[in-house]
Structures are given as C-alpha cells and as structure tokens.
Amino acid sequence: MMTVRPSEARGHANHGWLDSHHTFSFASYYDPDNMGFRALRVINEDRVTPGEGFDTHSHRDMEIITYPLSGAIAHRDSTGGREVLRAGEVQRMTAGTGVMHSEFNGADEELHFLQIWIIPDQKGLKPGYEQKAFPESERKGRWRVLASKDAREGSLTVHQDVALLGTLLGKGEQTEYTLAPGRHAWFQLVRGRGTLNGVELKTGDGVAISDESRLVLSATEPTEALLFDLA
C-alpha cells in the first residue's frame, strides 16, 4: 500500500527570513492525520535568506538529521560541534539528554535544506554530533545508505531501527529497492519528477509505504530522492 502526501498539502510558514514547508505537524502547523510516520517525526524543507538563521535553542530526545541542498549552514552546538555544512554532506545530531544549537546561513546565497527528526529508540542518550560527505558518484543511479543503526557502508549512526538512503537519477534512469517483510518506508522526492511503482510524483511529494516489497523509482527528469526504511 502506498499513500501519497502531495507537496501542496504540506504545512507552510513564511517568516520573511525563513520559508518552510512541513511534511508533518510542526510548530504552529497541526494536522492530526499527519503527525509523522513510524519513527519518522519531521521533514521540514527550509529556505533561509543570507545572514539569517535559527538562534541558539534547545532540543532533547530526538535524532536530528540535516540534509543541505544548496548554500551553506554554519552549525554550532553545546557538544562542541562547529562546522559548515554544504550540499553533499549530511549531519546527525543526537539531542539526547539535551543540546543547545544554532544554525545560520553561512553564505551570500539562499540556504535550502531539509531538517529531519527521528524519534530515538531510547530516551536519555548522550548528546552527540556527526557529519559526513557523500559524493554524487556514490549516489548516482543507486541507493546509497546515508544513516543507519549499525553505521553500515560508512553511513552516519542513528539511534533507531531505520536506514536513510539517498539517490540521484538522470532523466530516464531507474533504481530499485527491496523492503524486507514487515518493514515500512517513507519516500521523499527532494527534487525532480518521476514515478514510484508507476505512481507519478513531483518535487516535494512524499509517500507512506507498507506491505510492499519491491520499490521501483523511475526518473522522468533529473531527480534527487530520499528513502527511509523503517521498522
């Protein structure tokens, strides 16, 4: 079974310096039918103007993954993490018992990124930070593991039974993924256009997937996509 969450159905907030679309309920956007999917709690698509950003604020008991699309994110947190994050890199921050952090647009161009929250498999984890680069060559034409419980294939470690995978497809290209019995998935079309098991999708669309084993993604134009393999 596949249930499409259209891009235009997402929550939207424009604060001037921040233009944000919420796949699931977040902040002042509340939709009781879209509170998350399995352990996946938040997918926000954010655009931040130059010189602006999120002042220091706190989180706890959440795995926070940042996935930049363009621009540069200047990150600071109370674990000592001080990095600049750009497209092709992915960051995981474990909020755990509590972490303070800030995120600013560190370039002279618009910052465009996804922020993803995953509910961890236990509360009270030690706060932590991790960042890695995943070259386009590793994602072209195939699913590349970006984050996982066991850090397989050199991926980031996430404290939950979930694997986050990414792919880049050229026009006319196709890639497949097999879900193990009893597993679920969330598919997010980051940009581009294509079909998933024959269902037409566009930029920003998401799909909740259960009771499916073979997932076939075909690109009708250059496409970037994420897939969450969930318990």
Side-chain angles (χ1 to χ4, degrees), residues 19-34:
D19 188 21
S20 185
H21 287 84
H22 312 311
T23 295
F24 305 116
S25 293
F26 185 83
S28 60
Y29 169 62
Y30 175 68
D31 180 350
D33 293 326
N34 288 283

Side-chain angles (χ1 to χ4, degrees), residues 35-110:
M35 297 298 296
F37 182 74
R38 315 298 293 183
L40 179 58
R41 177 61 188 85
V42 166
I43 302 178
N44 288 346
E45 181 181 1
D46 292 342
R47 297 176 185 270
V48 179
T49 59
E52 299 287 352
F54 303 89
D55 289 322
T56 301
H57 58 287
S58 64
H59 292 291
R60 65 183 306 117
D61 291 324
M62 196 66 67
E63 299 288 275
I64 300 173
I65 295 174
T66 303
Y67 185 92
L69 297 169
S70 63
I73 304 172
H75 169 91
R76 291 191 176 189
D77 67 54
S78 55
T79 72
R82 279 167 173 74
E83 300 287 346
V84 175
L85 187 67
R86 296 181 173 86
E89 299 174 307
V90 185
Q91 174 199 104
R92 184 269 304 161
M93 185 174 68
T94 296
T97 54
V99 66
M100 303 287 293
H101 77 120
S102 64
E103 313 283 354
F104 276 86
N105 185 342
D108 295 329
E109 61 179 308
E110 180 183 74

Side-chain angles (χ1 to χ4, degrees), residues 10-202:
R10 296 178 296 175
H12 182 224
N14 192 330
H15 303 282
W17 64 272
L18 168 66
D19 188 21
S20 185
H21 287 84
H22 312 311
T23 295
F24 305 116
S25 293
F26 185 83
S28 60
Y29 169 62
Y30 175 68
D31 180 350
D33 293 326
N34 288 283
M35 297 298 296
F37 182 74
R38 315 298 293 183
L40 179 58
R41 177 61 188 85
V42 166
I43 302 178
N44 288 346
E45 181 181 1
D46 292 342
R47 297 176 185 270
V48 179
T49 59
E52 299 287 352
F54 303 89
D55 289 322
T56 301
H57 58 287
S58 64
H59 292 291
R60 65 183 306 117
D61 291 324
M62 196 66 67
E63 299 288 275
I64 300 173
I65 295 174
T66 303
Y67 185 92
L69 297 169
S70 63
I73 304 172
H75 169 91
R76 291 191 176 189
D77 67 54
S78 55
T79 72
R82 279 167 173 74
E83 300 287 346
V84 175
L85 187 67
R86 296 181 173 86
E89 299 174 307
V90 185
Q91 174 199 104
R92 184 269 304 161
M93 185 174 68
T94 296
T97 54
V99 66
M100 303 287 293
H101 77 120
S102 64
E103 313 283 354
F104 276 86
N105 185 342
D108 295 329
E109 61 179 308
E110 180 183 74
L111 167 62
H112 183 199
F113 69 104
L114 299 183
Q115 187 168 96
I116 297 157
W117 292 8
I118 295 172
I119 300 169
D121 55 12
Q122 58 181 300
K123 293 185 177 182
L125 291 167
K126 180 181 177 180
Y129 172 89
E130 189 180 14
Q131 179 174 320
K132 290 186 177 182
F134 297 92
E136 287 189 2
S137 59
E138 296 182 5
R139 294 176 285 148
K140 283 185 175 179
R142 72 181 188 96
W143 287 109
R144 173 41 160 121
V145 182
L146 307 177
S148 61
K149 175 81 170 178
D150 56 2
R152 63 181 177 272
E153 300 180 25
S155 62
L156 299 169
T157 302
V158 62
H159 298 92
Q160 180 54 268
D161 183 8
V162 57
L164 169 60
L165 305 99
T167 191
L168 298 168
L169 297 180
K171 182 178 179 179
E173 290 186 333
Q174 177 176 293
T175 188
E176 298 185 17
Y177 186 80
T178 301
L179 276 176
R183 301 291 293 185
H184 307 262
W186 182 272
F187 173 86
Q188 191 72 26
L189 189 56
V190 177
R191 48 190 167 194
R193 187 177 291 271
T195 63
L196 184 66
N197 287 5
V199 177
E200 293 189 3
L201 300 169
K202 63 187 182 306

